[in-house]
Amino acid sequence: MNNTDTAGSLRLSFGTKLAFGSGAMAEAVYMGLFNTFITIFYNQVIGLSNTLIGIAIMLALVGDALTDPVVGILSDRWRGRYGRRHPFMFVAPVPLALMVYCIFNPPEGLVEGSHQLGLFLWLALTTILSRAFLTLYSVPHLALGGELSKDQFQRSQLFSANTMIGAASGALVAISTWGYFFAGERVRASDGQLVPGHLDPAAYGPMVICACAAIVIAVWGCALLTLKHVERLTEAPAPTERFTIIMLFREILGTFKNRNYLILMVGYFFFMITSGIYDTFNVFINTYFWELAPEEIKYFGFIALPMIIVGALASPVLQKKFDRKPVIVTALIFMTIFAQLVIDLRLLGLLPANHDENLLPILIANAGAFALTIGVGGVAIMGMIGDLIDENELTTGLRQDGLFFSARAFFAKASYSVGHLFAGIALDLYVRLPFEAVPGQLEEAILTRMGIVAGPAMAVSAVIAVFVYSRYDLTAARHRAIVAELDKRNSESRSDQKRPEMEARLSDNDTGFDA
């Protein structure tokens, strides 16, 4: 017998929460490869300009940003026996895995000839397609999480499970890539230099094959294990107008009629610029600024896993005690501090030298604190969007989980691409990092410029994001009132639907009696 929560929705089992969260594995694997290795692979291994890499990623993310609301609206409107979200989750993983393989296996002719335009076009095309197939799965997956429960605490638990499993998957990617696939030093065939494994093109093949298999298994597993809930989820309304590009942008812009959603998106825009810079520079910082070996870099994965899980577990409890806004703002403040703290200290000459035995523990401790804030903030932001979808449903009468999550992704990815482009241009024109650089052999001036961009310069947009988020004002008490009103409205709607049926049955009975 199913229990119900205070919001009138099904009380979800622990297994269902894990099943939903397992879908985060595929995105974590993809993002782990993309964010960590795409720039250094194409720049230092393949020999493509960082500026062209930045432009290719920007084009891909802008294209991805456009497909997000398309998939969101389509999944909101999809009608069929498998519900609104699951058909997309079943279709997406195989072509996604194929595109991941293609990204890291450009044609030999382009690589051997160092064709900048050809490599640029290959990277742009395969990345655009891979991001589109990722969207085909990820937006319906997040929308499914918003639909499974309206209870604020239980919804936080759903996204907490999603965050924890995503974190575990991301940590596993980091541990396996740095500790196994790229472990040790290798002689690079192109120049005969002894380099870390991630600077050798031959090391990437086995890693990519394993990643592709994990993506397919994770998405299909999530879809199959949550399929039993389809019958009780919100059914798509009958379409009132044909889907067009004009309608698409009208619906995206319509989400901004909600003041709090506008605040979240503007804040997210600035925060994702910082995130794009951080993700581009992080592998260069670890490789050249700190001169860490792959076997040392893997420890960041070991510390990230438990700390993100602790943060994700603590986040629902903190939100229940202090409400969502104080939690997200505090998490973002500390996230900004820890993202750049050790780099700033090195620039000020306050950290041990590279290869000093005391340096790595300091870097690991800082990475752990950073991961903790990601766990806390990641759960809070997803829960906030779910609350705003409830508020929008009360105002408009429409349940648009796909649209709201995809519109969030639209602006996140657009701004993230700006961060990537800025980082690529900075690496080429300001840092001036040469091709096939060898750790320990770069000029001090190059390392200083790298630290300035990855440290204080990166934090500027994050500070703006914190200020914007501080304007959010949908409280837990207000959300409880919204859910109560929705339950009342839905109950009255069901009663109105049953009344004609009852009157018809009474009429039939009367007719039979008179006869």
Side-chain angles (χ1 to χ4, degrees):
M1 179 177 178
N2 290 330
N3 297 321
T4 56
D5 59 30
T6 57
S9 58
L10 185 71
R11 188 183 300 280
L12 301 175
S13 68
F14 179 71
T16 295
K17 294 169 186 175
L18 287 181
F20 169 73
S22 68
M25 181 186 299
E27 188 167 6
V29 171
Y30 177 90
M31 299 306 290
L33 266 61
F34 189 87
N35 292 344
T36 305
F37 298 111
I38 196 74
T39 305
I40 201 163
F41 175 79
Y42 269 87
N43 179 248
Q44 293 297 309
V45 177
I46 300 299
L48 181 62
S49 157
N50 271 309
T51 300
L52 290 178
I53 295 171
I55 294 173
I57 292 174
M58 185 179 74
L59 291 174
L61 290 174
V62 170
D64 188 24
L66 292 173
T67 60
D68 277 335
V70 172
V71 172
I73 293 172
L74 287 176
S75 72
D76 280 340
R77 291 164 164 248
W78 193 268
R79 298 168 68 88
R81 62 180 296 191
Y82 297 113
R84 300 198 285 177
R85 317 300 178 188
H86 286 77
F88 298 90
M89 296 168 67
F90 282 118
V91 169
V94 171
L96 171 58
L98 178 62
M99 286 301 104
V100 170
Y101 179 83
C102 290
I103 287 174
F104 287 95
N105 287 275
E108 283 295 325
L110 297 179
V111 177
E112 292 175 358
S114 191
H115 294 294
Q116 294 290 292
L117 179 59
L119 288 170
F120 163 75
L121 292 175
W122 179 267
L123 174 61
L125 177 62
T126 54
T127 304
I128 287 171
L129 291 174
S130 72
R131 303 289 302 206
F133 290 124
L134 180 69
T135 293
L136 196 64
Y137 133 76
S138 64
V139 168
H141 173 244
L142 290 176
L144 177 65
E147 282 188 288
L148 283 171
S149 178
K150 288 187 176 71
D151 178 70
Q152 192 180 56
F153 182 64
Q154 189 165 224
R155 182 178 283 156
S156 293
Q157 290 180 316
L158 270 173
F159 286 112
S160 177
N162 194 66
T163 300
M164 286 190 292
I165 294 177
S169 304
L172 183 60
V173 170
I175 293 166
S176 61
T177 51
W178 296 114
Y180 177 72
F181 293 107
F182 297 146
E185 292 185 309
R186 302 164 183 241
V187 177
R188 187 163 53 193
S190 60
D191 59 4
Q193 288 276 6
L194 188 65
V195 295
H198 61 291
L199 300 181
D200 178 21
Y204 282 82
M207 178 198 71
V208 172
I209 293 294
C210 290
C212 291
I215 287 171
V216 174
I217 292 170
V219 179
W220 280 351
C222 175
L224 287 169
L225 292 171
T226 57
L227 191 60
K228 63 183 179 182
H229 294 288
V230 165
E231 291 185 357
R232 70 172 189 82
L233 298 178
T234 307
E235 186 178 354
T240 57
E241 62 176 316
R242 187 169 59 88
F243 182 86
T244 64
I245 294 298
I246 294 175
M247 185 213 73
L248 167 66
F249 282 100
R250 186 177 71 244
E251 293 208 12
I252 292 174
L253 294 175
T255 62
F256 290 155
K257 293 179 182 178
N258 185 306
R259 174 186 174 275
N260 283 309
Y261 189 75
L262 177 61
I263 287 171
L264 286 189
M265 292 307 97
V266 173
Y268 213 62
F269 176 85
F270 285 103
F271 182 75
M272 289 305 292
I273 290 176
T274 294
S275 184
I277 298 171
Y278 178 88
D279 286 338
T280 300
F281 267 82
N282 194 39
V283 67
F284 291 100
I285 287 291
N286 287 334
T287 303
Y288 299 110
F289 192 81
W290 301 121
E291 298 177 18
L292 298 177
E295 299 92 313
E296 294 174 314
I297 298 175
K298 74 178 180 183
Y299 290 114
F300 295 134
F302 278 117
I303 191 65
L305 173 57
M307 296 307 290
I308 290 182
I309 290 176
V310 169
L313 286 172
S315 189
V317 178
L318 292 172
Q319 292 172 61
K320 193 172 184 178
K321 182 174 180 62
F322 299 108
D323 214 339
R324 296 207 196 278
K325 183 176 117 175
V327 171
I328 187 67
V329 170
T330 303
L332 286 176
I333 290 172
F334 282 101
M335 199 182 301
T336 303
I337 291 172
F338 292 124
Q340 58 164 337
L341 177 62
V342 286
I343 295 176
D344 293 344
L345 291 176
R346 165 55 63 83
L347 293 174
L348 294 172
L350 300 177
L351 281 186
N354 290 351
H355 308 298
D356 187 296
E357 62 179 11
N358 295 315
L359 177 62
L360 185 59
I362 294 173
L363 298 181
I364 291 173
N366 184 79
F370 179 66
L372 177 69
T373 62
I374 290 176
V376 173
V379 173
I381 188 67
M382 291 302 182
M384 291 165 85
I385 294 174
D387 295 347
L388 294 173
I389 292 169
D390 294 334
E391 185 179 46
N392 179 72
E393 183 182 5
L394 181 64
T395 304
T396 66
L398 297 174
R399 186 75 194 179
Q400 297 174 299
D401 300 75
L403 174 62
F404 271 72
F405 277 107
S406 61
R408 164 253 179 192
F410 177 98
F411 288 95
K413 290 170 182 176
S415 55
Y416 188 73
S417 70
V418 173
H420 265 294
L421 179 60
F422 173 85
I425 294 173
L427 281 167
D428 276 349
L429 302 183
Y430 177 66
V431 179
R432 298 195 289 277
L433 182 69
F435 288 136
E436 296 189 331
V438 178
Q441 297 182 16
L442 289 176
E443 298 175 8
E444 189 65 32
I446 293 176
L447 297 176
T448 298
R449 293 192 295 267
M450 186 182 293
I452 289 172
V453 178
M458 176 193 67
V460 173
S461 59
V463 172
I464 298 174
V466 170
F467 172 77
V468 174
Y469 273 117
S470 69
R471 315 304 294 173
Y472 180 88
D473 64 4
L474 178 58
T475 63
R478 169 60 183 153
H479 180 258
R480 286 192 293 270
I482 288 171
V483 172
E485 186 64 29
L486 285 174
D487 287 343
K488 179 181 177 183
R489 177 192 291 177
N490 292 335
S491 177
E492 291 173 350
S493 176
R494 286 191 293 268
S495 298
D496 291 341
Q497 291 173 359
K498 291 179 180 178
R499 190 173 294 113
E501 298 175 4
M502 294 177 62
E503 292 174 352
R505 285 197 295 270
L506 287 173
S507 177
D508 290 341
N509 290 338
D510 289 344
T511 302
F513 178 78
D514 291 340

